[in-house]
């Protein structure tokens, strides 16, 4: 870190970071929690001995999803009694409901998985679902500014207004993982983009990936699919954990600037 030490995984002043570090090695992956690097085998091993943690998470996110699934099964069994227009309207409604359930779950893992599924028409095989889930790219919404400021204070050890002068009270951008504020770093006077991760994003990622992997295995068997859904989930998990590691992201950005920053 150049001239500014207390950077964390949840708060990232994008323009500060240097690339003077090495990637995490496989030897550094352990059962210390939360994992900093994705490993599906370790996640399975960890949570198969912690059923109450999984149950607690399922109680929070499960009922809306189960209700949606039951409705789709009822739709499938009654569609022969309905007009084509009604069936198509119902299908669009269920697709919209699924998107809303994913957003309301406040799970970065499930929101990102919905985004990923929107790119896999071979799996969804339903254009309405592709259209709705693709909206997860930019229709997730923000979390309260007070929570963002609390995260900054907790991770950096000082109140945000001691370090930054915010140029806008609200975030200038948001996505599934976090939101971005435009601010001036008081010590240097430089304008920075301050990226703050959604609360609980990293801490819930592993248990959500455990649930997602189990669902992928069941769904492949249930639908008799040839696609390696668990493998797809693991590829997604690797990408997700990479995006959640703001420190590594900053190092990658700084390295990119070092390589290409002089190109006009």
């Amino acid at each position: 870190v150049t001239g500014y030490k207390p950077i964390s995984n949840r708060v990232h002043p994008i323009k500060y970071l240097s690339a003077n570090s090495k990637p995490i090695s496989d030897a550094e992956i352990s059962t210390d929690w939360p994992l900093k690097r994705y490993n599906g085998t370790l996640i399975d091993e960890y949570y198969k001995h912690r059923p109450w943690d999984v149950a607690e998470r399922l109680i929070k996110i499960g009922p809306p999803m189960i209700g949606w699934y039951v409705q789709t099964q009822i739709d499938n069994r009654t569609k022969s009694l309905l007009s084509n227009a009604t069936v198509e309207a119902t299908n669009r409604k269920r697709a919209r409901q699924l998107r809303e359930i994913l957003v309301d779950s406040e799970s970065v893992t499930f929101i990102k998985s919905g985004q990923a599924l929107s790119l896999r028409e071979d799996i969804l095989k339903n254009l309405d679902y592709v259209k709705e889930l693709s909206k997860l790219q930019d229709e997730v919404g923000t979390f309260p500014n007070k929570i963002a400021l609390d995260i900054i204070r907790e991770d950096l050890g000082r109140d945000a207004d001691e370090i930054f002068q915010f140029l806008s009270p609200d975030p200038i951008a948001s996505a599934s993982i976090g939101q971005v504020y435009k601010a001036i770093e008081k010590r240097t006077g430089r304008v920075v983009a301050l990226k703050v991760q959604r609360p609980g994003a990293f801490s819930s990622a592993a248990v959500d990936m455990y649930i997602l992997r189990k669902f992928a295995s069941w769904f492949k068997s249930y639908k008799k699919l040839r696609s390696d859904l668990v493998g797809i989930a693991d590829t997604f998990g690797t990408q997700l954990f990479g995006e959640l590691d703001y420190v590594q992201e900053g190092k990658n950005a700084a390295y990119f600037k070092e390589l290409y920053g002089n190109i006009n």
Side-chain angles (χ1 to χ4, degrees):
V1 176
T2 303
Y4 188 68
K5 186 176 181 180
I7 295 295
S8 79
N9 257 320
R10 297 190 299 171
V11 182
H12 172 200
I14 294 170
K15 296 185 180 180
Y16 293 150
L17 298 173
S18 68
N20 299 322
S21 67
K22 297 179 180 179
I24 299 172
S25 67
D26 289 338
E28 293 177 277
I29 300 176
S30 69
T31 53
D32 292 338
W33 228 251
L35 286 176
K36 295 298 185 290
R37 184 174 177 181
Y38 181 75
N39 185 309
T41 302
L42 284 180
I43 286 174
D44 270 1
E45 183 66 24
Y46 185 85
Y47 281 107
K48 76 179 183 181
H49 299 297
R50 292 166 175 79
W52 294 114
D53 290 349
V54 179
E56 181 180 2
R57 189 64 173 156
L58 285 172
I59 289 171
K60 181 177 180 179
I61 65 177
M65 188 66 71
I66 293 172
W68 169 84
Y69 176 75
V70 169
Q71 288 178 321
T72 62
Q73 295 306 296
I74 294 173
D75 295 340
N76 288 336
R77 285 164 173 74
T78 59
K79 63 183 180 181
S80 61
L81 306 175
L82 305 173
S83 66
N84 288 338
T86 301
V87 171
E88 291 173 359
T90 301
N91 187 69
R92 289 193 296 271
K93 178 181 179 180
R94 298 293 178 243
R96 184 183 71 253
Q97 288 174 336
L98 177 59
R99 172 178 58 81
E100 292 171 347
I101 288 170
L102 293 176
V103 172
D104 292 342
S105 74
E106 299 180 347
S107 166
V108 170
T109 303
F110 294 121
I111 292 172
K112 294 290 289 186
S113 65
Q115 293 176 358
L117 275 176
S118 71
L119 304 175
R120 296 297 303 266
E121 294 185 38
D122 59 316
I123 295 177
L124 286 178
K125 299 178 181 179
N126 189 310
L127 187 57
D128 290 325
Y129 281 81
V130 171
K131 288 180 178 179
E132 283 294 331
L133 293 181
S134 66
K135 294 178 182 178
L136 292 171
Q137 301 289 345
D138 53 13
E139 294 187 15
V140 179
T142 62
F143 57 93
N145 291 327
K146 183 181 183 305
I147 293 178
L149 295 176
D150 288 343
I151 289 173
I152 294 171
R153 181 174 60 253
E154 180 182 343
D155 281 19
L156 303 188
R158 297 165 62 189
D159 287 340
D161 58 9
E162 293 181 20
I163 307 170
F164 305 104
Q165 176 186 340
F166 288 89
L167 299 179
S168 172
D170 297 315
I172 59 173
S174 67
S176 56
I177 289 180
Q179 57 197 36
V180 180
Y181 296 86
K182 187 176 182 180
I184 296 174
E185 200 270 325
K186 290 182 176 180
R187 187 181 60 83
T188 64
R190 290 186 297 179
V191 176
V192 298
L194 185 64
K195 191 173 180 181
V196 184
Q197 197 169 102
R198 291 183 180 275
F202 213 113
S203 61
S204 65
V207 65
D208 287 348
M209 281 305 307
Y210 176 83
I211 294 169
L212 185 62
R213 292 179 92 250
K214 293 303 181 185
F215 173 79
S217 178
W218 169 82
F219 191 74
K220 177 182 179 179
S221 176
Y222 178 70
K223 290 291 187 178
K224 297 180 172 61
L225 299 175
R226 295 184 178 181
S227 300
D228 180 9
L229 296 189
V230 174
I232 292 172
D234 284 337
T235 299
F236 162 74
T238 300
Q239 178 183 350
L240 173 66
F241 272 59
E243 292 184 32
L244 286 169
D245 189 346
Y246 278 4
V247 172
Q248 187 61 46
E249 179 187 359
K251 293 170 183 174
N252 293 341
Y255 184 58
F256 183 87
K257 181 180 179 181
E258 180 183 331
L259 292 177
Y260 304 108
N262 295 326
I263 298 176
N264 293 323

